[in-house]
Amino acid sequence: MGFEFVALSLPPLVIGTLAAMACALPGNFLLLRRQSLIGDAISHVVLPGIVVAFLVTGMITTTAMMVGAAGAALLAVILIEAIRRLGKVEPGAAMGVVFTAMFAGGVLLLEQSDTSGVHLDVEHALYGNLESLIWLDAVGWASLTDPIALAALPPELPRMGAALVLLSLLTWLFWRPLKLSTFDEGFARSLGLPTTVISLAIVTAAALAAVAAFDAVGSIIVIAMFICPPAAARLMTNRLESQVAWSLLFAALSAIFGYVLAGYGPLWLGASASVSAAGMIATVSGLILALAALFAPHRQA
Amino acid sequence: MFEALTLQLGYNAVLVTLGSAALGVAAGAVSAFLYLRKRALVSDAVSHATLPGLALAFLIMVAFGSDGRFLPGLMVGSALSAWAGLWTVNWITRQTRLPEDAAIGAVLSVFFGFGIVLLTIIQTMQSGRQAGLEGFLLGSTAGMLRSDALVIAAGGALVLLATFALRRPMLMTAFDEGYARVQGLNTARIDMALMVLVLAVTVVGLKIVGLILIVAMLIIPAVAARFWSENATHVALLAALFGGLSGYVGAALSATAPDLPTGPIIVLVAFALFALSLFLAPSRGVLASALRHRRLQHDVHLRQGLLALAHNQPVYEAMTQRMLRAHGMMRADGVPTDAGRIAAAAALQDETRWQELRRIEELAMLASRDDGLTPITDILTADQVALIDNRLKPQGVI
């Protein structure tokens, strides 16, 4: 178990958990601000961003992809706002117009351009490649203390870790204004807090989490983790502090159980191949939400 | 491309194009009611929730010895799981304190995720390798069977008929739920009927547009159509037209080249129609409202300039100077022309009358009609104007 687990299962497991938690954290605020579907929209428009970045630079580099994806997310937010204001279209519909059109554009560009040499396709965008993030230099648990082996960890791991740390730090630093403007925007504004900036910052943080997680785990996990763990946590408690803690716990549980079930579940049932980890993680997060909706202490208003 | 648009690309391409147009018309008509009911994004949950049912239907059909690609069977499976997804959204919204958008997001991601799990199982099966179920994600018309196209066209026609039959109760519910209920309509059931139509469009559209993008056909046509009319029936008809046009042109364009996927092209055509509407529509369009704004700006500047001239004050504001000169009211050196003097006097008289109006008890309420531009003679009767002028005469203004 030792070598195989550390080399093949541990890195994706950790990356999946970090990604899940990084998405769940801003998801809490999106949920309370009734903007959950912004996460859905962002994870759709990341695809055209990455395709354009690839077409411009001609290669798949992390920086180019991140910039492309972030640019697309920003463009989407601006377009949604513009359509909402200029055309007096209701926000949900404006969002629907923008993200479907941008996603369609992304798919079309992808089909039109020659991406056969690189790992870039719609399936990858949807369910990522969590299973392929293996750590070939690992020889066993001892590798965790071996700096040379550690340097060969999949780059997604430190990136996801950095994203989670950054998001946690920002949440911690701006906790009070975040909380105030989320629960009572009018009051926050009367205190002189820049509520528009805060609102934009939350969307940007969500975009950051989505972009960082997207490459490793695909957009299904991103959407599921934006919504399901915070929603389940919301049913557990009335305090924002506890809600955030619960959501991080649920996110981690979804990632761990989802990954293990996807990787080993079919083997226990006698099948030979594993199933999609991304899909399974989303499924487990849904099961947790279902349990919370049925039994959680604060499930009703 | 011309051949494609005029249906000269061969029997199958024609069938696909017509099927897709029928679907587009149906989707557009339904989208109008969905948009008026402000539930556009529920269709996102419904469409993503089709995936597990699609995969399960395939697995079941394979278990019974067929090759699993029988389209009506797949459609029944996806309809059942979409129904389960819709039921879950409603259940979460009703039974817990979570808002509807969270319920939508949760259902769409979890059902879709579970569907992907099932898809990976299918991909490892012998019969699953060629199943092409991935084609349902983004739609694919390549190698579509004649029977499939017929099923899609017939499905679209059925949805359209049902929408037509239900248009009145759906409109009433969308505009005024309370009134509709007083009229004896069961609004919950009508909402349910609307959702069944959404579900039907989704299931029929899976093969052509794909389940990720079909939601676009249930949102964009209505939003585009709304720019052109304030009348709900016209919006529904226009949305149907836009939907049909997107389906027709999109499918025809995609038949012209191998790497033009049908679903995305249809959505982009719909988006182009939306963009055109956003900019060009009369009254609600961006261009029209920009022109209106500019016109208002002109009128305000001209009026203020004339008042300044009447008071013998110099005009400094550049735009006001330009307006006055363009209308021949002022010479380049800032001196008013004869026409300018007459117009200025008229403007001043109008202004004075408006001010006096506020002091007359029985007319004061009309002061709210004073927007600084409308001549008072457009609002008041000749008698009322005469009354004001009589009061002004002793002051020597008139």
Side-chain angles (χ1 to χ4, degrees):
Chain A
M1 169 106 174
F3 158 71
E4 242 183 62
F5 180 79
V6 174
L8 302 180
S9 291
L10 190 62
L13 196 58
V14 174
I15 293 171
T17 309
L18 292 174
M21 290 166 76
C23 290
L25 191 57
N28 280 294
F29 297 97
L30 293 179
L31 178 84
L32 292 169
R33 304 168 76 95
R34 314 227 155 170
Q35 289 181 320
S36 292
L37 290 173
I38 284 269
D40 182 25
I42 290 174
S43 55
H44 277 88
V45 303
V46 161
L47 177 71
I50 288 180
V51 177
V52 169
F54 167 72
L55 291 179
V56 171
T57 61
M59 51 191 163
I60 299 271
T61 60
T62 308
T63 334
M65 280 172 75
M66 298 281 266
V67 170
L74 191 67
L75 177 68
V77 171
I78 293 173
L79 278 180
I80 291 172
E81 222 18 51
I83 289 178
R84 206 167 67 81
R85 298 224 173 130
L86 288 178
K88 296 176 195 70
V89 176
E90 61 144 322
M95 200 191 290
V97 171
V98 171
F99 82 75
T100 53
M102 285 182 72
F103 188 77
V107 174
L108 183 63
L109 278 180
L110 200 52
E111 299 276 335
Q112 290 277 301
S113 53
D114 177 28
T115 50
S116 50
V118 291
H119 193 61
L120 186 62
D121 54 50
V122 177
E123 275 81 19
H124 173 211
L126 288 174
Y127 27 98
N129 57 345
L130 194 52
E131 292 89 340
S132 71
L133 302 176
I134 48 178
W135 186 18
L136 287 174
D137 287 32
V139 290
W141 289 103
S143 300
L144 286 178
T145 51
D146 176 5
I148 301 165
L150 279 177
L153 269 173
E156 284 84 358
L157 204 157
R159 195 193 314 157
M160 221 43 253
L164 179 61
V165 168
L166 179 65
L167 287 170
S168 313
L169 208 65
L170 288 173
T171 314
W172 181 70
L173 272 176
F174 295 105
W175 180 259
R176 276 189 56 79
L178 274 176
K179 187 174 171 182
L180 264 174
S181 71
T182 297
F183 281 109
D184 193 341
E185 187 146 16
F187 179 60
R189 208 176 300 130
S190 73
L191 287 181
L193 288 176
T195 48
T196 318
V197 176
I198 294 176
S199 159
L200 201 64
I202 292 176
V203 175
T204 314
L208 175 78
V211 171
F214 173 81
D215 173 38
V217 298
S219 52
I220 304 174
I221 295 195
V222 173
I223 307 173
M225 290 305 135
F226 268 137
I227 298 171
C228 292
R234 174 90 180 104
L235 303 176
M236 298 297 291
T237 170
N238 275 329
R239 291 185 55 235
L240 183 59
E241 291 80 0
S242 331
Q243 183 191 318
V244 170
W246 276 112
S247 74
L248 292 176
L249 175 71
F250 288 150
L253 284 178
S254 309
I256 294 168
F257 277 101
Y259 185 80
V260 171
L261 274 179
Y264 301 95
L267 305 181
W268 299 332
L269 293 176
S272 56
S274 55
V275 297
S276 157
M280 196 53 114
I281 292 175
T283 309
V284 172
S285 77
L287 292 178
I288 292 178
L289 175 60
L291 288 176
L294 287 171
F295 305 111
H298 292 279
R299 59 187 182 278
Q300 268 144 16
Chain B
M1 188 186 291
F2 180 73
E3 282 88 359
L5 287 173
T6 49
L7 303 174
Q8 291 167 0
L9 270 190
Y11 189 68
N12 259 10
V14 170
L15 219 53
V16 168
T17 307
L18 291 181
S20 150
L23 168 76
V25 171
V30 172
S31 79
F33 295 99
L34 197 63
Y35 182 53
L36 290 174
R37 197 81 184 96
K38 297 196 166 42
R39 299 195 72 193
L41 283 176
V42 176
S43 55
D44 207 14
V46 170
S47 58
H48 283 77
T50 53
L51 188 57
L54 186 76
L56 281 176
F58 178 85
L59 286 170
I60 290 171
M61 286 194 288
V62 168
F64 279 97
S66 104
D67 78 339
R69 272 181 289 180
F70 181 56
L71 185 61
L74 295 174
M75 281 165 73
V76 170
S78 48
L80 289 177
S81 81
W83 182 260
L86 185 59
W87 184 86
T88 314
V89 170
N90 286 335
W91 187 86
I92 292 177
T93 320
R94 237 178 316 112
Q95 297 294 319
T96 76
R97 61 181 183 180
L98 294 174
E100 190 179 38
D101 67 327
I104 291 173
V107 165
L108 86 83
S109 57
V110 172
F111 274 66
F112 193 72
F114 184 57
I116 294 295
V117 169
L118 294 175
L119 267 194
T120 47
I121 293 176
I122 290 175
Q123 276 162 351
T124 59
M125 295 174 13
Q126 201 58 45
S127 54
R129 285 188 208 286
Q130 302 91 28
L133 284 192
E134 294 81 10
F136 284 93
L137 292 179
L138 294 167
S140 90
T141 49
M144 191 150 100
L145 298 174
R146 183 182 164 192
S147 59
D148 293 352
L150 288 177
V151 167
I152 290 166
L158 271 180
V159 173
L160 203 58
L161 273 179
T163 314
F164 184 74
L166 288 168
R167 68 194 186 284
R168 286 183 197 287
M170 286 197 303
L171 269 183
M172 225 194 260
T173 313
F175 278 119
D176 191 339
E177 205 177 340
Y179 176 72
R181 231 177 274 136
V182 172
Q183 291 291 300
L185 288 178
N186 184 337
T187 51
R189 196 170 295 168
I190 288 162
D191 273 340
M192 204 43 105
L194 175 59
M195 285 303 140
V196 171
L197 290 176
V198 166
L199 203 148
V201 168
T202 309
V203 169
V204 173
L206 281 185
K207 179 83 184 166
I208 293 185
V209 187
L211 63 89
I212 299 180
L213 286 173
I214 185 71
V215 57
M217 295 303 288
L218 286 163
I219 296 179
I220 302 181
V223 180
R226 182 67 184 85
F227 282 107
W228 297 89
S229 173
E230 305 288 328
N231 175 314
T233 314
H234 294 170
V235 171
L237 287 174
L238 258 180
L241 175 72
F242 285 164
L245 213 56
S246 318
Y248 183 87
V249 176
L253 284 182
S254 107
T256 58
D259 49 1
L260 293 174
T262 319
I265 299 275
I266 292 179
V267 173
L268 289 175
V269 173
F271 182 75
L273 289 172
F274 160 80
L276 281 178
S277 307
L278 172 69
F279 285 105
L280 297 183
S283 93
R284 281 176 69 99
V286 170
L287 197 62
S289 74
L291 286 176
R292 247 195 332 272
H293 177 77
R294 203 174 140 79
R295 205 196 151 100
L296 180 74
Q297 207 179 14
H298 278 193
D299 290 354
V300 169
H301 276 277
L302 194 59
R303 171 81 171 202
Q304 293 306 318
L306 286 174
L307 287 175
L309 291 185
H311 288 121
N312 285 323
Q313 288 161 349
V315 176
Y316 293 116
E317 218 280 325
M319 183 168 182
T320 313
Q321 286 182 351
R322 221 169 40 242
M323 301 298 315
L324 285 171
R325 259 181 250 132
H327 283 83
M329 307 287 185
M330 193 174 83
R331 295 195 328 227
D333 56 4
V335 176
T337 61
D338 288 342
R341 272 183 240 283
I342 295 168
L348 181 62
Q349 184 190 41
D350 192 53
E351 192 73 13
T352 324
R353 281 170 171 171
W354 273 116
Q355 275 164 18
E356 188 61 21
L357 172 99
R358 287 162 216 276
R359 297 194 198 97
I360 305 175
E361 208 172 314
E362 60 267 36
L363 294 181
M365 61 193 220
L366 286 171
S368 63
R369 302 287 298 273
D370 179 16
D371 55 6
L373 291 175
T374 316
I376 198 164
T377 44
D378 285 6
I379 307 284
L380 268 57
T381 64
D383 291 355
Q384 288 168 322
V385 175
L387 175 75
I388 294 177
D389 286 353
N390 272 330
R391 291 170 55 107
L392 287 173
K393 246 175 216 154
Q395 300 168 29
V397 186
I398 299 291

